[in-house]
Coordinates of all heavy atoms in Angstrom, one line a residue:
M1 N 0.8 -1.2 0.0 CA 0.0 0.0 0.0 C 0.9 1.2 0.0 O 1.9 1.3 0.7 CB -0.9 0.0 1.2 CG -1.8 1.2 1.3 SD -2.9 1.0 2.8 CE -4.5 1.3 2.0
E2 N 0.5 2.2 -0.8 CA 1.3 3.4 -0.9 C 1.1 4.3 0.3 O 0.1 4.4 0.9 CB 0.8 4.2 -2.1 CG 1.6 5.5 -2.4 CD 1.2 6.2 -3.6 OE1 0.3 5.8 -4.3 OE2 1.8 7.2 -3.9
K3 N 2.2 4.9 0.7 CA 2.3 5.8 1.9 C 1.4 7.0 1.7 O 1.4 7.6 0.6 CB 3.7 6.2 2.2 CG 3.8 7.1 3.4 CD 5.3 7.5 3.6 CE 5.8 8.4 2.6 NZ 7.1 9.0 2.9
M4 N 0.6 7.3 2.7 CA -0.2 8.5 2.7 C 0.4 9.6 3.6 O 0.7 9.3 4.7 CB -1.7 8.2 3.2 CG -2.6 9.4 3.2 SD -4.3 9.0 3.5 CE -4.3 8.2 5.1
N5 N 0.6 10.7 3.1 CA 1.1 11.9 3.8 C -0.1 12.7 4.2 O -1.0 12.9 3.4 CB 2.1 12.7 3.0 CG 3.4 12.0 2.8 OD1 4.1 11.6 3.7 ND2 3.7 11.7 1.5
C6 N -0.1 13.2 5.5 CA -1.1 14.1 5.9 C -0.5 15.3 6.6 O 0.6 15.2 7.2 CB -2.1 13.4 6.9 SG -3.0 12.0 6.2
F7 N -1.2 16.4 6.6 CA -0.6 17.6 7.3 C -1.8 18.4 7.9 O -2.8 18.5 7.2 CB 0.2 18.5 6.4 CG 1.1 19.4 7.2 CD1 2.3 19.0 7.7 CD2 0.7 20.7 7.3 CE1 3.1 19.8 8.4 CE2 1.5 21.6 8.0 CZ 2.7 21.2 8.6
Q8 N -1.7 18.8 9.1 CA -2.8 19.5 9.8 C -2.5 21.1 9.8 O -1.4 21.5 9.9 CB -2.8 19.1 11.3 CG -3.9 19.8 12.1 CD -4.0 19.3 13.5 OE1 -4.4 18.2 13.7 NE2 -3.6 20.1 14.4
Y9 N -3.6 21.8 9.5 CA -3.6 23.2 9.5 C -4.6 23.8 10.4 O -5.7 23.2 10.6 CB -3.9 23.7 8.0 CG -2.9 23.3 7.0 CD1 -3.1 22.2 6.2 CD2 -1.7 24.1 6.7 CE1 -2.3 21.8 5.2 CE2 -0.9 23.7 5.7 CZ -1.1 22.6 5.0 OH -0.3 22.2 4.0
E10 N -4.4 25.0 10.9 CA -5.3 25.8 11.6 C -5.9 26.8 10.6 O -5.2 27.5 9.9 CB -4.7 26.5 12.8 CG -5.6 27.2 13.7 CD -6.5 26.3 14.5 OE1 -6.0 25.3 15.0 OE2 -7.7 26.5 14.5
T11 N -7.3 26.8 10.4 CA -7.9 27.7 9.4 C -9.0 28.5 10.1 O -9.4 28.2 11.3 CB -8.5 26.9 8.3 OG1 -9.6 26.2 8.7 CG2 -7.4 25.9 7.7
T12 N -9.7 29.3 9.3 CA -10.8 30.1 9.8 C -12.0 29.2 10.0 O -13.0 29.6 10.7 CB -11.2 31.2 8.7 OG1 -11.5 30.6 7.5 CG2 -10.1 32.2 8.6
I13 N -12.0 28.0 9.4 CA -13.1 27.0 9.7 C -12.7 25.9 10.7 O -13.4 24.9 10.8 CB -13.6 26.4 8.3 CG1 -12.4 25.6 7.6 CG2 -14.2 27.4 7.4 CD1 -12.9 24.8 6.4
G14 N -11.6 26.1 11.4 CA -11.1 25.2 12.4 C -9.9 24.4 11.9 O -9.4 24.7 10.8
K15 N -9.6 23.4 12.7 CA -8.4 22.5 12.3 C -8.9 21.6 11.2 O -10.0 21.1 11.2 CB -8.0 21.7 13.5 CG -7.3 22.5 14.5 CD -6.7 21.6 15.6 CE -6.1 22.5 16.7 NZ -5.6 21.7 17.8
I16 N -8.0 21.5 10.2 CA -8.3 20.6 9.1 C -7.0 19.7 8.8 O -5.9 20.1 9.2 CB -8.6 21.3 7.7 CG1 -7.5 22.2 7.3 CG2 -9.9 22.1 7.9 CD1 -7.6 22.6 5.8
V17 N -7.2 18.6 8.3 CA -6.1 17.7 7.9 C -6.3 17.4 6.4 O -7.4 16.9 6.0 CB -6.1 16.4 8.7 CG1 -4.9 15.5 8.3 CG2 -5.9 16.8 10.2
I18 N -5.3 17.6 5.6 CA -5.3 17.2 4.2 C -4.3 16.1 4.0 O -3.1 16.2 4.5 CB -4.9 18.4 3.3 CG1 -5.9 19.6 3.5 CG2 -4.9 18.0 1.8 CD1 -5.4 20.9 2.8
C19 N -4.7 15.0 3.3 CA -3.9 13.9 3.1 C -3.7 13.7 1.6 O -4.7 14.0 0.8 CB -4.5 12.6 3.7 SG -4.7 12.7 5.5
A20 N -2.6 13.1 1.2 CA -2.3 12.9 -0.3 C -1.3 11.8 -0.4 O -0.5 11.5 0.5 CB -1.8 14.2 -0.9
N21 N -1.4 11.2 -1.6 CA -0.3 10.3 -2.0 C 0.4 11.0 -3.1 O 0.3 12.2 -3.3 CB -0.9 8.9 -2.5 CG -1.9 9.0 -3.6 OD1 -1.8 9.9 -4.4 ND2 -2.7 8.0 -3.7
T22 N 1.2 10.3 -3.9 CA 2.0 11.0 -4.9 C 1.2 11.4 -6.1 O 1.6 12.2 -6.9 CB 3.1 10.1 -5.4 OG1 2.5 8.8 -5.9 CG2 4.1 9.7 -4.3
R23 N 0.0 11.0 -6.3 CA -0.9 11.3 -7.4 C -1.9 12.4 -7.1 O -2.4 13.0 -8.1 CB -1.6 10.0 -7.9 CG -0.6 9.0 -8.5 CD -1.3 7.7 -8.9 NE -2.1 7.1 -7.9 CZ -1.6 6.3 -7.0 NH1 -0.3 6.1 -6.9 NH2 -2.4 5.8 -6.1
G24 N -2.3 12.6 -5.9 CA -3.3 13.6 -5.6 C -3.8 13.5 -4.2 O -3.4 12.7 -3.4
V25 N -4.8 14.4 -3.9 CA -5.4 14.5 -2.5 C -6.3 13.3 -2.3 O -7.1 13.0 -3.2 CB -6.2 15.8 -2.4 CG1 -7.0 15.8 -1.1 CG2 -5.2 17.0 -2.4
T26 N -6.1 12.6 -1.2 CA -6.9 11.4 -0.9 C -7.9 11.6 0.1 O -9.0 10.9 0.1 CB -5.9 10.3 -0.4 OG1 -5.2 10.7 0.7 CG2 -4.9 9.8 -1.5
N27 N -7.7 12.5 1.1 CA -8.6 12.7 2.2 C -8.6 14.2 2.6 O -7.5 14.8 2.5 CB -8.3 11.8 3.4 CG -8.3 10.4 3.0 OD1 -7.4 9.8 2.5 ND2 -9.5 9.7 3.3
F28 N -9.7 14.6 3.2 CA -9.8 15.9 3.8 C -10.6 15.7 5.1 O -11.7 15.2 5.0 CB -10.5 16.9 2.9 CG -10.6 18.3 3.4 CD1 -9.7 19.2 3.2 CD2 -11.7 18.6 4.2 CE1 -9.8 20.5 3.7 CE2 -11.9 19.9 4.7 CZ -10.9 20.8 4.4
F29 N -10.1 16.1 6.2 CA -10.8 15.9 7.5 C -10.9 17.3 8.3 O -10.0 18.1 8.2 CB -10.0 15.0 8.4 CG -9.8 13.6 7.8 CD1 -8.6 13.3 7.2 CD2 -10.8 12.6 7.9 CE1 -8.4 12.1 6.6 CE2 -10.5 11.4 7.3 CZ -9.3 11.1 6.7
W30 N -12.0 17.4 9.0 CA -12.1 18.5 9.9 C -11.7 17.9 11.3 O -12.1 16.8 11.6 CB -13.5 19.0 10.0 CG -13.8 20.1 9.1 CD1 -13.6 21.5 9.2 CD2 -14.4 20.0 7.8 NE1 -14.0 22.2 8.1 CE2 -14.4 21.3 7.2 CE3 -14.8 18.9 7.0 CZ2 -14.9 21.5 5.9 CZ3 -15.3 19.2 5.7 CH2 -15.4 20.4 5.2
G31 N -10.9 18.7 12.1 CA -10.5 18.3 13.4 C -9.1 17.6 13.3 O -8.5 17.5 12.3
E32 N -8.7 17.0 14.5 CA -7.4 16.3 14.5 C -7.6 14.9 14.3 O -8.6 14.3 14.6 CB -6.8 16.5 15.9 CG -6.5 18.0 16.2 CD -5.8 18.2 17.5 OE1 -4.9 17.3 17.9 OE2 -6.2 19.1 18.3
L33 N -6.5 14.3 13.7 CA -6.5 12.8 13.5 C -5.6 12.1 14.5 O -4.5 12.6 14.7 CB -6.0 12.5 12.1 CG -6.9 12.9 10.9 CD1 -6.3 12.4 9.6 CD2 -8.3 12.3 11.0
S34 N -6.1 11.1 15.1 CA -5.3 10.4 16.0 C -5.2 8.9 15.7 O -4.3 8.2 16.1 CB -5.8 10.6 17.5 OG -7.1 10.2 17.6
N35 N -6.2 8.4 15.0 CA -6.3 7.0 14.7 C -6.0 6.6 13.3 O -6.4 5.5 12.8 CB -7.7 6.4 15.1 CG -8.8 7.1 14.3 OD1 -8.6 8.1 13.7 ND2 -10.0 6.5 14.4
V36 N -5.3 7.4 12.5 CA -5.0 7.1 11.1 C -3.5 7.0 11.0 O -2.7 7.8 11.5 CB -5.5 8.3 10.2 CG1 -5.0 8.1 8.8 CG2 -7.0 8.4 10.3
E37 N -3.1 5.9 10.4 CA -1.6 5.6 10.2 C -1.2 6.5 9.0 O -1.7 6.4 7.9 CB -1.4 4.2 9.8 CG 0.1 3.8 9.9 CD 0.3 2.3 9.7 OE1 -0.4 1.6 10.4 OE2 1.2 2.0 8.9
M38 N -0.3 7.5 9.3 CA 0.1 8.4 8.2 C 1.5 9.0 8.6 O 2.0 8.9 9.7 CB -0.9 9.6 8.2 CG -1.0 10.4 9.5 SD -2.1 11.7 9.4 CE -2.0 12.3 11.1
E39 N 2.1 9.6 7.5 CA 3.3 10.4 7.7 C 2.8 11.8 7.9 O 2.0 12.3 7.1 CB 4.1 10.2 6.5 CG 4.7 8.9 6.3 CD 5.8 8.5 7.2 OE1 6.6 9.5 7.6 OE2 5.9 7.4 7.6
N40 N 3.3 12.5 8.9 CA 3.0 13.9 9.1 C 3.9 14.8 8.3 O 4.9 15.3 8.8 CB 3.0 14.2 10.6 CG 2.5 15.6 10.9 OD1 1.6 16.1 10.1 ND2 2.9 16.2 11.9
T41 N 3.7 14.9 7.0 CA 4.5 15.6 6.1 C 3.7 16.5 5.2 O 2.7 16.1 4.6 CB 5.3 14.6 5.2 OG1 6.0 13.7 6.0 CG2 6.3 15.3 4.3
E42 N 4.2 17.8 5.1 CA 3.5 18.7 4.2 C 4.2 18.6 2.8 O 5.2 19.2 2.5 CB 3.6 20.1 4.7 CG 2.9 21.1 3.9 CD 3.0 22.6 4.4 OE1 4.1 22.9 4.8 OE2 2.1 23.3 4.3
T43 N 3.5 17.8 1.9 CA 4.1 17.7 0.6 C 3.6 18.8 -0.3 O 2.8 19.6 0.1 CB 3.6 16.4 -0.1 OG1 2.1 16.4 -0.2 CG2 3.9 15.2 0.8
E44 N 4.2 18.9 -1.5 CA 3.8 20.0 -2.4 C 2.3 19.9 -2.8 O 1.6 20.9 -2.9 CB 4.6 20.0 -3.7 CG 6.0 20.6 -3.5 CD 6.0 22.0 -2.9 OE1 5.3 22.8 -3.5 OE2 6.7 22.2 -2.0
I45 N 1.8 18.7 -3.0 CA 0.4 18.5 -3.3 C -0.5 19.0 -2.2 O -1.5 19.7 -2.4 CB 0.1 17.0 -3.6 CG1 0.7 16.6 -4.9 CG2 -1.5 16.8 -3.7 CD1 0.7 15.1 -5.2
I46 N -0.1 18.7 -1.0 CA -0.9 19.1 0.2 C -0.8 20.6 0.4 O -1.9 21.3 0.6 CB -0.4 18.4 1.5 CG1 -0.7 16.9 1.4 CG2 -1.0 19.0 2.7 CD1 -0.1 16.1 2.5
K47 N 0.3 21.2 0.2 CA 0.5 22.6 0.3 C -0.3 23.4 -0.8 O -1.0 24.4 -0.4 CB 2.0 23.0 0.1 CG 2.3 24.4 0.5 CD 3.8 24.7 0.3 CE 4.7 23.8 1.1 NZ 6.1 24.2 1.0
R48 N -0.3 22.9 -2.0 CA -1.1 23.5 -3.1 C -2.6 23.4 -2.7 O -3.4 24.4 -3.0 CB -0.8 22.8 -4.4 CG -0.4 23.7 -5.4 CD 0.0 23.1 -6.7 NE -1.2 22.9 -7.5 CZ -1.4 21.8 -8.2 NH1 -0.6 20.8 -8.2 NH2 -2.5 21.6 -8.9
A49 N -3.1 22.3 -2.2 CA -4.5 22.1 -1.8 C -4.8 23.1 -0.7 O -5.9 23.7 -0.8 CB -4.7 20.7 -1.4
F50 N -4.0 23.3 0.2 CA -4.2 24.2 1.3 C -4.3 25.7 0.8 O -5.2 26.4 1.2 CB -3.2 24.1 2.4 CG -3.4 25.1 3.5 CD1 -4.5 25.0 4.4 CD2 -2.5 26.1 3.7 CE1 -4.6 25.9 5.4 CE2 -2.6 27.0 4.8 CZ -3.7 26.9 5.6
V51 N -3.4 26.0 -0.1 CA -3.4 27.4 -0.7 C -4.7 27.6 -1.4 O -5.4 28.6 -1.3 CB -2.2 27.6 -1.6 CG1 -2.3 28.9 -2.4 CG2 -0.9 27.7 -0.7
Q52 N -5.1 26.6 -2.2 CA -6.3 26.8 -3.0 C -7.6 26.8 -2.1 O -8.5 27.6 -2.4 CB -6.5 25.6 -4.0 CG -5.5 25.8 -5.2 CD -5.8 24.9 -6.3 OE1 -6.8 24.3 -6.5 NE2 -4.8 24.7 -7.2
L53 N -7.6 26.1 -1.0 CA -8.7 26.1 -0.1 C -8.8 27.5 0.5 O -9.9 28.1 0.7 CB -8.5 25.1 1.0 CG -9.6 25.1 2.1 CD1 -10.9 24.8 1.6 CD2 -9.2 24.2 3.3
G54 N -7.6 28.1 0.9 CA -7.6 29.5 1.4 C -8.2 30.5 0.4 O -8.9 31.4 0.8
E55 N -7.8 30.3 -0.8 CA -8.3 31.2 -1.9 C -9.8 31.0 -2.0 O -10.5 32.0 -2.2 CB -7.6 30.9 -3.2 CG -6.1 31.3 -3.2 CD -5.4 30.7 -4.4 OE1 -5.9 29.9 -5.2 OE2 -4.2 31.1 -4.6
Y56 N -10.3 29.8 -2.0 CA -11.7 29.5 -2.1 C -12.5 30.2 -0.9 O -13.5 30.8 -1.1 CB -11.9 28.0 -2.1 CG -13.4 27.6 -2.2 CD1 -14.0 27.5 -3.4 CD2 -14.1 27.3 -1.0 CE1 -15.3 27.1 -3.5 CE2 -15.4 26.9 -1.1 CZ -16.0 26.8 -2.4 OH -17.3 26.4 -2.4
L57 N -12.0 30.0 0.3 CA -12.7 30.5 1.5 C -12.7 32.1 1.5 O -13.6 32.7 2.0 CB -12.0 30.0 2.7 CG -12.2 28.5 3.0 CD1 -11.4 28.1 4.2 CD2 -13.7 28.2 3.2
S58 N -11.7 32.7 0.8 CA -11.7 34.2 0.8 C -12.4 34.7 -0.4 O -12.4 35.9 -0.7 CB -10.2 34.7 0.8 OG -9.5 34.2 -0.3
G59 N -12.9 33.8 -1.3 CA -13.7 34.3 -2.4 C -12.9 34.5 -3.7 O -13.4 35.0 -4.7
L60 N -11.6 34.2 -3.6 CA -10.7 34.5 -4.8 C -10.7 33.3 -5.8 O -10.2 33.5 -6.9 CB -9.3 34.7 -4.3 CG -9.1 35.9 -3.4 CD1 -7.7 36.0 -2.8 CD2 -9.5 37.2 -4.1
R61 N -11.2 32.2 -5.4 CA -11.1 31.0 -6.2 C -12.5 30.3 -6.3 O -13.2 30.2 -5.3 CB -10.1 30.0 -5.7 CG -10.1 28.7 -6.4 CD -9.0 27.7 -5.9 NE -7.7 28.2 -6.3 CZ -7.1 28.0 -7.5 NH1 -7.7 27.2 -8.4 NH2 -5.9 28.4 -7.7
K62 N -12.9 29.9 -7.5 CA -14.2 29.2 -7.6 C -14.1 27.8 -8.0 O -15.0 27.0 -7.9 CB -15.1 30.0 -8.6 CG -15.5 31.4 -8.1 CD -16.4 32.0 -9.1 CE -17.0 33.3 -8.6 NZ -16.6 34.4 -8.2
N63 N -12.9 27.4 -8.5 CA -12.6 26.0 -9.0 C -11.3 25.6 -8.5 O -10.3 26.4 -8.4 CB -12.6 25.9 -10.5 CG -14.0 26.3 -11.1 OD1 -14.9 25.6 -10.8 ND2 -14.0 27.3 -11.9
F64 N -11.2 24.3 -8.1 CA -9.9 23.7 -7.7 C -9.3 23.0 -8.9 O -10.0 22.4 -9.7 CB -10.2 22.7 -6.6 CG -10.6 23.4 -5.3 CD1 -12.0 23.6 -5.1 CD2 -9.7 23.8 -4.3 CE1 -12.4 24.2 -3.9 CE2 -10.2 24.4 -3.2 CZ -11.5 24.6 -3.0
D65 N -8.0 23.0 -9.0 CA -7.3 22.3 -10.1 C -6.4 21.2 -9.5 O -5.5 20.7 -10.1 CB -6.6 23.1 -11.0 CG -5.5 24.0 -10.4 OD1 -5.1 23.7 -9.3 OD2 -5.0 24.9 -11.1
I66 N -6.7 20.8 -8.2 CA -5.9 19.8 -7.6 C -6.5 18.4 -8.0 O -7.7 18.2 -8.0 CB -6.1 19.9 -6.0 CG1 -5.5 21.2 -5.5 CG2 -5.4 18.7 -5.3 CD1 -4.0 21.3 -5.7
K67 N -5.6 17.5 -8.3 CA -6.0 16.1 -8.7 C -6.5 15.4 -7.4 O -5.9 15.5 -6.4 CB -4.8 15.4 -9.2 CG -5.1 13.9 -9.4 CD -5.1 13.5 -10.9 CE -5.2 12.0 -11.1 NZ -6.3 11.3 -10.6
L68 N -7.7 14.8 -7.5 CA -8.2 14.0 -6.4 C -8.0 12.6 -6.7 O -8.2 12.1 -7.8 CB -9.7 14.3 -6.3 CG -10.2 15.7 -6.0 CD1 -11.7 15.8 -5.9 CD2 -9.5 16.2 -4.7
E69 N -7.5 11.9 -5.7 CA -7.2 10.4 -5.8 C -8.1 9.7 -4.8 O -7.7 9.3 -3.7 CB -5.7 10.2 -5.5 CG -5.2 8.8 -5.6 CD -5.1 8.4 -7.1 OE1 -5.0 9.2 -8.0 OE2 -5.2 7.1 -7.3
Y70 N -9.4 9.6 -5.2 CA -10.3 9.0 -4.2 C -10.6 7.5 -4.7 O -10.4 7.1 -5.8 CB -11.6 9.8 -4.1 CG -12.2 10.2 -5.4 CD1 -13.1 9.4 -6.1 CD2 -12.0 11.5 -5.8 CE1 -13.7 9.9 -7.3 CE2 -12.6 12.0 -7.0 CZ -13.4 11.2 -7.7 OH -14.0 11.6 -8.8
S71 N -11.1 6.8 -3.7 CA -11.4 5.4 -4.0 C -12.7 5.0 -3.3 O -13.2 5.8 -2.5 CB -10.3 4.4 -3.4 OG -10.2 4.6 -2.0
G72 N -13.3 3.9 -3.8 CA -14.6 3.5 -3.2 C -15.2 2.5 -4.2 O -14.6 2.1 -5.1
T73 N -16.5 2.3 -3.9 CA -17.3 1.4 -4.7 C -17.6 2.1 -6.0 O -17.4 3.3 -6.1 CB -18.6 1.0 -4.0 OG1 -19.4 2.1 -3.9 CG2 -18.3 0.3 -2.7
D74 N -18.0 1.4 -7.0 CA -18.5 2.0 -8.3 C -19.5 3.1 -8.0 O -19.5 4.1 -8.6 CB -19.0 1.0 -9.3 CG -17.9 0.1 -9.8 OD1 -16.7 0.5 -9.7 OD2 -18.2 -1.0 -10.4
F75 N -20.5 2.8 -7.1 CA -21.5 3.7 -6.8 C -20.9 5.0 -6.2 O -21.3 6.1 -6.6 CB -22.5 3.1 -5.8 CG -23.6 4.1 -5.4 CD1 -24.6 4.5 -6.2 CD2 -23.5 4.6 -4.1 CE1 -25.6 5.4 -5.8 CE2 -24.5 5.5 -3.7 CZ -25.5 5.9 -4.5
Q76 N -20.0 4.8 -5.2 CA -19.4 6.0 -4.5 C -18.6 6.8 -5.6 O -18.7 8.1 -5.5 CB -18.5 5.5 -3.4 CG -19.2 5.0 -2.2 CD -18.2 4.3 -1.2 OE1 -17.3 3.7 -1.6 NE2 -18.5 4.5 0.0
L77 N -17.9 6.2 -6.4 CA -17.1 6.9 -7.4 C -18.1 7.7 -8.4 O -17.8 8.9 -8.7 CB -16.2 6.0 -8.2 CG -15.1 5.3 -7.5 CD1 -14.4 4.3 -8.3 CD2 -14.1 6.3 -6.9
A78 N -19.2 7.1 -8.7 CA -20.2 7.8 -9.6 C -20.7 9.0 -8.9 O -20.9 10.1 -9.5 CB -21.3 6.8 -10.0
V79 N -21.0 8.9 -7.6 CA -21.6 10.0 -6.8 C -20.6 11.1 -6.7 O -20.9 12.3 -7.0 CB -22.1 9.6 -5.4 CG1 -22.4 10.8 -4.6 CG2 -23.2 8.6 -5.5
W80 N -19.3 10.8 -6.4 CA -18.3 11.8 -6.3 C -18.0 12.5 -7.6 O -17.8 13.7 -7.6 CB -17.0 11.2 -5.7 CG -17.1 10.8 -4.3 CD1 -17.9 11.4 -3.3 CD2 -16.6 9.7 -3.7 NE1 -17.8 10.7 -2.2 CE2 -17.0 9.7 -2.3 CE3 -15.7 8.7 -4.1 CZ2 -16.6 8.7 -1.4 CZ3 -15.4 7.7 -3.2 CH2 -15.8 7.7 -1.9
D81 N -18.1 11.8 -8.7 CA -18.0 12.5 -10.0 C -19.1 13.5 -10.3 O -18.9 14.5 -10.8 CB -18.0 11.4 -11.2 CG -16.6 10.7 -11.3 OD1 -15.6 11.3 -10.8 OD2 -16.6 9.6 -11.8
Q82 N -20.3 13.1 -9.8 CA -21.4 14.1 -9.9 C -21.3 15.3 -9.0 O -21.6 16.4 -9.4 CB -22.8 13.4 -9.6 CG -23.2 12.4 -10.7 CD -23.3 13.0 -12.0 OE1 -24.0 14.0 -12.2 NE2 -22.7 12.4 -13.0
L83 N -20.7 15.1 -7.8 CA -20.5 16.2 -6.9 C -19.5 17.2 -7.5 O -19.6 18.4 -7.2 CB -20.0 15.7 -5.5 CG -21.0 14.9 -4.7 CD1 -20.4 14.3 -3.5 CD2 -22.3 15.7 -4.4
K84 N -18.5 16.7 -8.2 CA -17.5 17.6 -8.8 C -18.1 18.5 -9.8 O -17.5 19.5 -10.1 CB -16.4 16.8 -9.4 CG -15.5 16.1 -8.3 CD -14.3 15.3 -8.9 CE -14.1 15.2 -10.3 NZ -13.0 14.3 -10.7
K85 N -19.3 18.2 -10.4 CA -19.9 19.0 -11.4 C -20.7 20.1 -10.9 O -21.2 20.9 -11.7 CB -20.7 18.0 -12.3 CG -19.9 17.0 -13.1 CD -20.8 16.1 -13.9 CE -20.0 15.0 -14.6 NZ -20.8 14.1 -15.3
I86 N -20.9 20.2 -9.6 CA -21.8 21.2 -9.0 C -21.0 22.5 -9.0 O -19.9 22.6 -8.5 CB -22.2 20.9 -7.5 CG1 -23.0 19.6 -7.5 CG2 -23.0 22.1 -6.9 CD1 -23.3 19.1 -6.1
S87 N -21.5 23.5 -9.7 CA -20.9 24.8 -9.8 C -20.7 25.6 -8.5 O -21.5 25.4 -7.6 CB -21.7 25.7 -10.8 OG -21.8 25.1 -12.1
Y88 N -19.8 26.5 -8.5 CA -19.5 27.4 -7.3 C -20.8 28.1 -6.9 O -21.5 28.6 -7.8 CB -18.5 28.4 -7.7 CG -18.1 29.3 -6.6 CD1 -17.3 29.0 -5.6 CD2 -18.7 30.6 -6.6 CE1 -17.0 29.9 -4.6 CE2 -18.4 31.5 -5.6 CZ -17.5 31.1 -4.6 OH -17.2 32.0 -3.6
G89 N -21.2 28.0 -5.7 CA -22.3 28.8 -5.2 C -23.7 28.1 -5.4 O -24.7 28.6 -5.0
K90 N -23.6 26.9 -6.0 CA -24.9 26.2 -6.3 C -25.0 25.0 -5.3 O -24.1 24.6 -4.7 CB -24.8 25.6 -7.7 CG -24.6 26.6 -8.8 CD -25.8 27.6 -8.9 CE -25.6 28.6 -10.0 NZ -26.6 29.6 -10.1
T91 N -26.3 24.6 -5.2 CA -26.5 23.4 -4.4 C -27.3 22.4 -5.2 O -28.0 22.8 -6.2 CB -27.4 23.8 -3.1 OG1 -28.6 24.4 -3.5 CG2 -26.6 24.7 -2.2
K92 N -27.2 21.2 -4.8 CA -28.0 20.1 -5.4 C -28.6 19.2 -4.3 O -27.9 19.0 -3.3 CB -27.1 19.2 -6.3 CG -26.6 19.9 -7.5 CD -27.5 19.8 -8.7 CE -26.8 20.4 -9.9 NZ -27.5 20.2 -11.1
T93 N -29.8 18.7 -4.5 CA -30.4 17.8 -3.5 C -29.9 16.4 -3.8 O -29.3 16.1 -4.9 CB -31.9 17.8 -3.6 OG1 -32.3 17.3 -4.8 CG2 -32.5 19.2 -3.4
Y94 N -30.0 15.5 -2.8 CA -29.7 14.1 -3.0 C -30.5 13.6 -4.2 O -29.9 12.8 -5.1 CB -30.0 13.3 -1.8 CG -29.1 13.5 -0.6 CD1 -29.6 14.1 0.6 CD2 -27.8 13.2 -0.7 CE1 -28.8 14.3 1.6 CE2 -26.9 13.4 0.4 CZ -27.4 13.9 1.5 OH -26.6 14.2 2.6
K95 N -31.7 14.0 -4.3 CA -32.6 13.5 -5.4 C -32.0 13.9 -6.8 O -32.0 13.2 -7.8 CB -34.0 14.0 -5.3 CG -35.0 13.5 -6.3 CD -36.4 14.0 -6.1 CE -37.3 13.6 -7.1 NZ -38.7 14.1 -6.9
E96 N -31.6 15.2 -6.9 CA -31.0 15.7 -8.1 C -29.7 15.0 -8.5 O -29.5 14.7 -9.7 CB -30.7 17.2 -8.0 CG -32.0 18.1 -8.0 CD -31.7 19.5 -7.6 OE1 -30.8 19.8 -6.8 OE2 -32.3 20.4 -8.3
I97 N -28.9 14.6 -7.6 CA -27.7 13.9 -7.9 C -28.0 12.5 -8.3 O -27.4 11.9 -9.2 CB -26.8 13.9 -6.7 CG1 -26.3 15.4 -6.5 CG2 -25.6 13.0 -6.8 CD1 -25.5 15.6 -5.2
A98 N -29.0 11.9 -7.6 CA -29.4 10.5 -8.0 C -29.9 10.4 -9.4 O -29.7 9.5 -10.1 CB -30.4 10.0 -7.0

């Protein structure tokens, strides 16, 4: 299994943890992590994701160009692909996504 790097930041929305492998961001958590096996390293991918998140929260960014490296069932992957299509400032109901 490939090593996952994670790094914790203090933000205006509280503590967050961004995790990534060599291909992209794998996880994003609110709060502190204590039960996840990880390397506590701020990689370039993680740093870029954090910068883009800050730009998004301050209204300077509407789209992210960070590669996401997510995994799951075929159904979960299909749902996440639909979630990525929701435009900035828009909402969708569960029914609309289904």
Side-chain angles (χ1 to χ4, degrees):
M1 180 178 234
E2 185 176 0
K3 178 177 75 168
M4 178 171 60
N5 291 298
C6 298
F7 199 78
Q8 180 176 291
Y9 297 95
E10 188 68 47
T11 72
T12 58
I13 59 173
K15 289 183 181 177
I16 63 165
V17 177
I18 301 173
C19 301
N21 59 26
T22 58
R23 294 177 305 279
V25 172
T26 58
N27 300 86
F28 179 93
F29 302 97
W30 271 274
E32 294 184 44
L33 291 184
S34 59
N35 61 346
V36 174
E37 191 173 316
M38 64 180 175
E39 293 287 326
N40 188 27
T41 306
E42 185 183 36
T43 65
E44 283 304 312
I45 293 171
I46 292 171
K47 193 181 299 186
R48 238 177 81 223
F50 178 67
V51 167
Q52 288 191 17
L53 177 63
E55 292 169 350
Y56 179 84
L57 292 173
S58 65
L60 300 173
R61 175 176 288 276
K62 293 187 171 54
N63 296 299
F64 293 88
D65 61 13
I66 297 292
K67 170 115 173 61
L68 299 178
E69 183 71 23
Y70 47 84
S71 61
T73 65
D74 288 344
F75 175 76
Q76 289 170 323
L77 295 174
V79 170
W80 291 324
D81 283 336
Q82 290 303 309
L83 292 176
K84 288 179 7 182
K85 295 176 184 177
I86 300 172
S87 300
Y88 178 84
K90 302 293 182 189
T91 60
K92 295 268 183 173
T93 65
Y94 289 116
K95 182 178 178 181
E96 290 171 318
I97 291 170

